[in-house]
Amino acid sequence: MAKSSADDEELRRACEAAIEGTKQNVIMSIRVAKSHGIWGKGAKLGRGQMAKPRVLAISTKAKAQRTKAFLRVLKYSNGGVLEHAKLYKLKHLSKVEVVTNDPSGCTFMLVNVHVGKYNFSLINIDPIMKGFDNLRSQSVAPPQWTMRNVDDRNRLLLCILNICKDVLGHLPKIVGIDVVEMALWAKENTPNMPKKQVDLQDGPVKDAIAEGDMKVTVERELVSQAEEEDMEALLDTYVMGISEAEAFSERLKRELQALEAANVHVILENEPLVDEVLQGLEIATNCVEDMDEWLGIFNVKLRHMREDIESIETRNNKLEMHSVNNKSLVDELDKLLERLYIPSEYAACLTGGSFDELHMHQNIDACEWLTEALQNLEVPSIERCYAYMRSVKEKWAELDRLKNTFAKRASEFLRNYFASLVDFMISDKSYFSQRGQLKRPDHADMRFKCRTYARLLQHLKNLDKNYMDSLRKAYCSSLNLLLRKEAREFANELRTSTKASRNPISWLEGPIGPNQTVNNADTSTVAEAYGKMLTVFIPLLVDESSFFAHFMCFEGLANGNKTEHDDHDLGIEDIDDNISKDVKNPSDLEALNESLHDLLDGIQEDFYAVVDWAYKIDPLRCISMHGITERYISGQKADAAGYVRILLDDLENRISLQFSRFVDEACHHIERNERNLRQAGVLSFIPR
């Protein structure tokens, strides 16, 4: 047999090291497995209920007048070192119960069943000092401790019982363990266990168990103390003082013969009564035989009738089952025919209907029906046995042809629609800035017209998302032309209308003579013009990016299914600046960034032109423009504004590059004119 962990001195020393500083002595330490069972069931090791290795250590702490006993639970840390997990006071232990569902008998629970002063729950007390598990108030099953074998279990429980008796003065109840077998086990294993005494004043309690300590209270005692005393008194009344067995045997024989003689006499006196009883029994026997014969005849007739009834019921059940099955079959075929039916109005709309605003209701209804019809012919909406039927396959192929035809027509119409809408706006000069008038770009009318086809786009993505790439590119290409023209016209008019010095300020000329004046013209309007450019176009670009992300269904399929519509509204929900926060798929986010690049690419050139223009007028205005750009960068948090942030970062880098070039040139010029510093000084290079 393998050595018990209770004899492992290294384990004992590890436990003492784990509780070092508590002034407690370890009496016994033993390895166990901790698990949680289910109320009314055994401990099943399932997912989340795997047994965990633990070490139970019994320790004592000596005080002036008494000794305290504890049961500690220690667990292994990540480094394999024992550390303290829980602490129980043995005075709270009320019952030790062995789990009956464990055939080995090695699993038990330590329970506190008192409802009073020591009714502790693992939820409402300090996590370090815990009472034992309370079966009456705890909402979850208490932990169960499993030993390696029955010897380890008996060794631990006997140690606990002995300490409870000698130190605490009471014993917990024992449930599920034969106390007699435990006593016999303790008697057989007493030589293997060191026998030590308990010192309540000075020393700790040791793990010795004596044979006389096995008076343990069980859950239901067979005989109480009062009943035992009554039985002893009753047996004392039958003591007859007989010292020889032969004399006692003779006495019993005489009394037996006397009783038999009295019984024979009584029987002889009652002989007439016995005859009458026998005669009545014979008559009753004849009647019973006649009744048994009649009952046999009736039983045969009833058996034949029962067989006939069973035959009739069997035929009726079969007919009823056929009727029910036929009715169910007809209902299923009707439902299947319903799914296979294609309404003529929907077929006409999908194959050749118009995409005008007046006919969008019919197109949306046809898309919804087509989507539902395709889903109804696929598993799990339809039974797998139906999915392999020839008629279902043919009907699904017909619906697929309708889907491809409609998707091709719709995508071609939308591409042409986007191009014509942008061409109309570009051809109308009233949409752009003109000489003497700065025009703020307004795309509200264009977005309103696009919203008319928003739900059509969502259904098109549900039907065949392969067409979305070409539609997104067509939209980005058309709108990019409009945005670039608006930015170019606005930047040109902004530079023309800004009142600034016609002559650029020269910072890099030689020392100023006594008759020369310094050009101190106010150039703040240059920075204001740059700020106005950002104020007008950065929100516009962010709005266009957010509208594009929502309009082109980058936020997923949910909005298209949830948005309600009536006769007056075919649009989608209002565009939010942070709508692209719903784009959780990395591939969708990458596609969105690529589309935004196509949408806004090229517009940065007009911003660069404004920066270069401002630099030529006054290089020091790079400082103001850098601050304005930094403020706009910190305000762009939405995912849809990703390309706008890239644009602002490029502007900031260009401003920094221009200013760095100015600083380098100024330093070079000062070094070149260093020979004149003694006469003129450096103030001539710094007029402001």
Side-chain angles (χ1 to χ4, degrees), residues 244-526:
E244 294 183 2
E246 293 180 357
F248 182 63
S249 177
E250 290 295 333
R251 178 179 175 180
L252 290 178
K253 287 181 181 180
R254 289 195 300 271
E255 292 181 356
L256 180 60
Q257 290 175 358
L259 289 174
E260 289 177 351
N263 291 335
V264 171
H265 180 69
V266 171
I267 291 173
L268 292 176
E269 288 180 350
N270 296 330
E271 183 178 359
L273 297 176
V274 173
D275 292 338
E276 292 180 3
V277 171
L278 292 176
Q279 186 177 2
L281 289 175
E282 185 176 358
I283 295 172
T285 302
N286 294 331
C287 293
V288 169
E289 290 177 353
D290 294 340
M291 292 180 64
D292 182 65
E293 185 177 356
W294 281 101
L295 290 175
I297 296 173
F298 291 148
N299 189 24
V300 172
K301 293 182 178 181
L302 290 175
R303 185 171 66 251
H304 293 163
M305 293 177 62
R306 185 166 55 251
E307 292 176 354
D308 295 339
I309 292 173
E310 288 178 355
S311 177
I312 294 172
E313 287 180 350
T314 301
R315 290 196 297 270
N316 288 340
N317 290 337
K318 290 181 179 180
L319 292 175
E320 185 177 358
M321 184 180 299
H322 286 311
S323 176
V324 172
N325 290 340
N326 291 334
K327 184 179 179 181
S328 300
L329 180 59
V330 171
D331 293 340
E332 289 294 329
L333 291 176
D334 290 339
K335 293 179 182 178
L336 185 60
L337 288 176
E338 256 182 52
R339 296 185 179 185
L340 300 180
Y341 174 69
I342 300 178
S344 58
E345 61 273 15
Y346 290 153
C349 182
L350 292 171
T351 55
S354 174
F355 289 101
D356 295 338
E357 294 183 10
L358 297 178
H359 298 86
M360 281 309 298
H361 270 303
Q362 291 87 346
N363 289 319
I364 296 301
D365 293 340
C367 288
E368 292 177 351
W369 173 85
L370 180 59
T371 302
E372 185 179 359
L374 287 171
Q375 292 176 352
N376 290 336
L377 293 183
E378 294 178 352
V379 179
S381 297
I382 192 174
E383 295 290 338
R384 191 175 298 274
C385 57
Y386 294 157
Y388 295 112
M389 293 176 62
R390 179 179 176 182
S391 58
V392 174
K393 291 181 179 179
E394 292 177 353
K395 189 60 64 173
W396 192 91
E398 184 177 355
L399 292 176
D400 189 63
R401 287 193 297 272
L402 285 177
K403 179 191 72 173
N404 293 332
T405 302
F406 177 78
K408 184 177 180 180
R409 291 179 57 249
S411 61
E412 183 178 357
F413 167 78
L414 289 174
R415 285 196 298 270
N416 297 332
Y417 180 78
F418 294 150
S420 63
L421 187 61
V422 172
D423 290 341
F424 171 76
M425 295 183 67
I426 291 178
S427 62
D428 190 353
K429 294 183 179 181
S430 62
Y431 283 100
F432 306 99
S433 299
Q434 301 177 13
R435 182 175 297 278
Q437 180 183 4
L438 282 175
K439 179 73 173 180
R440 181 186 293 268
D442 185 9
H443 295 175
D445 185 59
M446 183 190 69
R447 293 179 187 172
F448 177 78
K449 293 180 179 179
C450 288
R451 284 192 180 97
T452 304
Y453 300 96
R455 298 197 67 221
L456 179 62
L457 274 173
Q458 293 171 349
H459 283 291
L460 187 59
K461 180 180 179 181
N462 293 342
L463 292 173
D464 193 347
K465 62 182 180 181
N466 294 326
Y467 287 94
M468 294 302 297
D469 293 337
S470 59
L471 286 176
R472 290 165 181 168
K473 290 181 180 179
Y475 180 86
C476 292
S477 176
S478 300
L479 190 60
N480 180 261
L481 295 176
L482 178 62
L483 291 174
R484 291 178 63 179
K485 183 173 182 180
E486 289 174 341
R488 183 170 60 256
E489 297 294 338
F490 190 90
N492 292 337
E493 181 58 28
L494 184 66
R495 292 195 297 270
T496 304
S497 61
T498 300
K499 295 181 180 180
S501 176
R502 295 284 181 181
N503 300 322
I505 297 177
S506 177
W507 295 91
L508 305 178
E509 295 179 356
I512 299 177
N515 297 327
Q516 293 178 341
T517 59
V518 179
N519 186 3
N520 290 327
D522 185 13
T523 59
S524 60
T525 55
V526 174

Side-chain angles (χ1 to χ4, degrees), residues 41-100:
K41 299 182 180 179
K44 296 182 179 179
L45 298 180
R47 187 172 184 180
Q49 298 177 347
M50 190 63 68
K52 303 175 181 178
R54 293 291 187 268
V55 174
L56 293 181
I58 302 174
S59 62
T60 59
K61 183 176 182 180
K63 289 194 174 183
Q65 300 296 332
R66 57 193 176 92
T67 299
K68 291 185 177 181
F70 304 94
L71 178 64
R72 288 183 174 271
V73 180
L74 297 97
K75 64 181 181 180
Y76 290 94
S77 64
N78 293 334
V81 180
L82 282 177
E83 60 181 16
H84 173 70
K86 293 182 181 179
L87 177 64
Y88 300 96
K89 289 183 178 181
L90 282 182
K91 69 179 183 179
H92 296 159
L93 180 61
S94 299
K95 183 170 70 172
V96 178
E97 181 175 354
V98 173
V99 178
T100 57

Side-chain angles (χ1 to χ4, degrees), residues 601-613:
D601 188 31
I603 198 172
Q604 67 271 16
E605 299 299 332
D606 299 301
F607 287 89
Y608 293 161
V610 175
V611 171
D612 296 341
W613 166 73

Side-chain angles (χ1 to χ4, degrees), residues 39-181:
W39 287 114
K41 299 182 180 179
K44 296 182 179 179
L45 298 180
R47 187 172 184 180
Q49 298 177 347
M50 190 63 68
K52 303 175 181 178
R54 293 291 187 268
V55 174
L56 293 181
I58 302 174
S59 62
T60 59
K61 183 176 182 180
K63 289 194 174 183
Q65 300 296 332
R66 57 193 176 92
T67 299
K68 291 185 177 181
F70 304 94
L71 178 64
R72 288 183 174 271
V73 180
L74 297 97
K75 64 181 181 180
Y76 290 94
S77 64
N78 293 334
V81 180
L82 282 177
E83 60 181 16
H84 173 70
K86 293 182 181 179
L87 177 64
Y88 300 96
K89 289 183 178 181
L90 282 182
K91 69 179 183 179
H92 296 159
L93 180 61
S94 299
K95 183 170 70 172
V96 178
E97 181 175 354
V98 173
V99 178
T100 57
N101 290 29
D102 185 2
S104 66
C106 298
T107 304
F108 61 90
M109 295 184 295
L110 303 175
V111 186
N112 171 25
V113 295
H114 293 297
V115 181
K117 179 178 179 182
Y118 299 114
N119 181 12
F120 290 105
S121 173
L122 292 180
I123 301 175
N124 301 323
I125 63 172
D126 183 59
I128 299 300
M129 181 69 72
K130 297 180 179 291
F132 285 93
D133 306 290
N134 193 343
L135 291 179
R136 299 192 180 184
S137 63
Q138 192 156 321
S139 59
V140 297
Q144 299 176 356
W145 311 97
T146 303
M147 314 298 293
R148 293 177 57 190
N149 49 52
V150 177
D151 292 339
D152 285 356
R153 182 205 69 184
N154 292 342
R155 193 166 184 176
L156 177 64
L157 296 184
L158 287 174
C159 182
I160 293 175
L161 295 175
N162 195 41
I163 292 177
C164 291
K165 177 182 178 183
D166 293 340
V167 177
L168 306 178
H170 71 276
L171 287 173
K173 291 184 179 181
I174 306 298
V175 180
I177 305 177
D178 192 340
V179 180
V180 177
E181 291 183 0

